[in-house]
Amino acid sequence: MTMDTKNGSGRTTGRGIGLAAVRGLALALVSLPGAVLCFCLSLVSIALIPIGVGIVTTPYVLTGVRAFANARRVLAAEWGGVRIPPAYRPLPKDANPWARTFGMLRDPATWRDLRWLPVDMTAGFVTALLPAVLLLYPLEGFALALGLWRVFPDGYWYGFLPVTGQASAFGAAALGLVLLFLAHFWTPRLLGAHFRLTRAVLGGNQGELAERVRVLTETRRDAVDASAAELRRIERDLHDGAQARLVAVGMDLGTIEALLDKDPEQAKKLIAQTRKSSVEALTELRELVRGIHPPVLAERGLGDAVRALALRLPVATEVSVDLPGRAEAPVESAAYFAVSEVLANAVKHSGADRIWVDLHRADGMLRATVTDNGKGGAVIGAGSGLAGVERRLGTFDGVLAVSSPAGGPTMVTVEIPCA
């Protein structure tokens, strides 16, 4: 259509204008009754949810609304070159009516559809109808100039001109020419404005999407950096700790082998020392494994892992757990290490003599709250342990909130989306 209107050929330009007018008229004739029907059915069906009828009808009605909106998306792409990607959340195929109803109602795209319907039946109807009006209304002015004015009663108005005789009829024809000139430029643009209006309401927030991409890019970079730092830490701990001790054990065993016949007493002393070194190496390996992924977390879940963590703290700690099931392993691990870091900060910096930990799941979020009765003043700043926790949580779309007025208490809340 755009190529038609900008082509130097008058025939092609006229075809583009006529096509835009016909398409706009078709949209106007469909959008008004279709939008009114979908909007009314949606309101009635949602209003009937409290008495149970809407639980059954709402999924079907909203599916129809989505089909109506998707048809407009297709027309926007094919007729206006405006792409409006659908962003509906998927629903389980075996979901019952209750789950389907509230799954669709919790989808922001559903509410965008419902907000679009009143816009489509008002501003959308006008912007779709105007291309046809701009093209067809001048024909009436020409007909008036050709003598049609004689049929109409006195005081008939064409636009802002009263038509009372042949002279004023020629004025109506002149006004028709002006409108036809404007139609040459504005008919395709008005149709494009209709589709851009549709995109503005039906489409997602582009600024929000851009910010989301920016945040995901940053958290991905932080995740890569954190992973590389963790690998370096593991390598350093193995090299400086367990590996060095195992090398020493190997050397001691060689010495023992040489001393067994010459100096059995010295060999016995070295055996005892070697046994002690092997125990220390095993302890360090266990600590290293616990730092990567605690066995109790894998075997018994987040609640028991945090309880075990609390038992090792030098500060009295109460743990409250209300988790109906287990989250995904990466989510549990992220929550565990976030709580571990927060507890370590509380023990080291807060001066508290009591700590409370609460773990529960609400609104699709795994929430962990750590409260202490210390001196307060905790902040999420560069170089602090809390800043590192916040970066790692960002990888999981999680958030960290801190409330720590001077004098205490300090409350740190961790939230991570989880199924």
Side-chain angles (χ1 to χ4, degrees), residues 80-411:
V82 177
R83 301 198 176 277
I84 313 172
Y88 300 114
R89 294 176 181 174
L91 293 171
K93 294 182 179 179
D94 56 348
N96 56 43
W98 179 277
R100 289 183 62 84
T101 296
F102 289 98
M104 297 177 85
L105 290 178
R106 282 193 295 265
D107 190 347
T110 297
W111 296 102
R112 283 198 296 270
D113 288 351
L114 295 179
R115 286 195 300 269
W116 166 70
L117 291 174
V119 175
D120 192 48
M121 69 179 71
T122 53
F125 172 76
V126 172
T127 53
L129 188 61
L130 277 177
V133 171
L134 273 179
L135 187 63
L136 298 178
Y137 194 53
L139 300 181
E140 183 182 350
F142 302 149
L144 289 172
L146 293 176
L148 186 62
W149 64 274
R150 303 176 189 276
V151 179
F152 294 115
D154 292 339
Y156 179 78
W157 288 75
Y158 178 75
F160 57 84
L161 291 177
V163 180
T164 57
Q166 189 63 51
S168 56
F170 284 135
L175 179 58
L177 280 174
V178 172
L179 291 177
L180 196 60
F181 177 77
L182 293 177
H184 174 79
F185 296 101
W186 286 101
T187 296
R189 290 176 179 156
L190 285 170
L191 188 62
H194 170 86
F195 291 126
R196 285 192 295 274
L197 174 66
T198 302
R199 180 177 60 187
V201 184
L202 272 186
N205 190 325
Q206 299 300 317
E208 180 182 340
L209 290 177
E211 176 65 14
R212 176 78 176 131
V213 170
R214 184 190 66 80
V215 170
L216 288 176
T217 301
E218 291 182 358
T219 55
R220 182 183 63 180
R221 182 173 61 248
D222 291 339
V224 172
D225 293 342
S227 177
E230 186 69 12
L231 287 174
R232 288 194 298 270
R233 182 190 69 82
I234 294 171
E235 180 182 9
R236 184 177 61 251
D237 290 347
L238 284 173
H239 183 272
D240 298 340
Q243 179 178 332
R245 292 187 184 279
L246 291 174
V247 170
V249 167
M251 295 175 64
D252 288 343
L253 288 174
T255 304
I256 291 169
E257 186 178 7
L259 291 175
L260 279 176
D261 296 331
K262 299 178 182 180
D263 191 350
E265 291 299 322
Q266 184 66 23
K268 288 181 180 180
K269 292 179 182 180
L270 282 176
I271 289 173
Q273 180 181 337
T274 303
R275 184 185 300 112
K276 181 181 178 181
S277 296
S278 67
V279 170
E280 291 175 351
L282 182 60
T283 301
E284 289 186 1
L285 284 173
R286 285 174 175 168
E287 290 296 328
L288 185 60
V289 170
R290 187 177 293 113
I292 299 172
H293 193 78
V296 66
L297 178 62
E299 296 169 3
R300 302 179 60 180
L302 179 61
D304 286 339
V306 172
R307 289 190 183 100
L309 181 64
L311 290 175
R312 298 198 299 270
L313 297 178
V315 178
T317 304
E318 295 183 14
V319 179
S320 173
V321 179
D322 182 16
L323 299 174
R326 297 196 57 175
E328 300 91 336
V331 171
E332 284 192 335
S333 180
Y336 174 83
F337 286 110
V339 171
S340 176
E341 182 68 28
V342 173
L343 288 174
N345 280 0
V347 171
K348 186 176 181 181
H349 302 294
S350 71
D353 59 12
R354 198 163 192 83
I355 299 175
W356 296 266
V357 181
D358 177 69
L359 296 172
H360 66 278
R361 183 177 177 272
D363 301 326
M365 306 290 285
L366 176 61
R367 185 172 298 150
T369 304
V370 179
T371 308
D372 66 65
N373 61 353
K375 60 186 179 182
V379 294
I380 304 176
S384 72
L386 293 179
V389 172
E390 186 180 43
R391 286 195 302 271
R392 288 193 292 271
L393 290 177
T395 308
F396 295 86
D397 236 5
V399 295
L400 177 71
V402 177
S403 173
S404 184
T410 295
M411 176 183 291

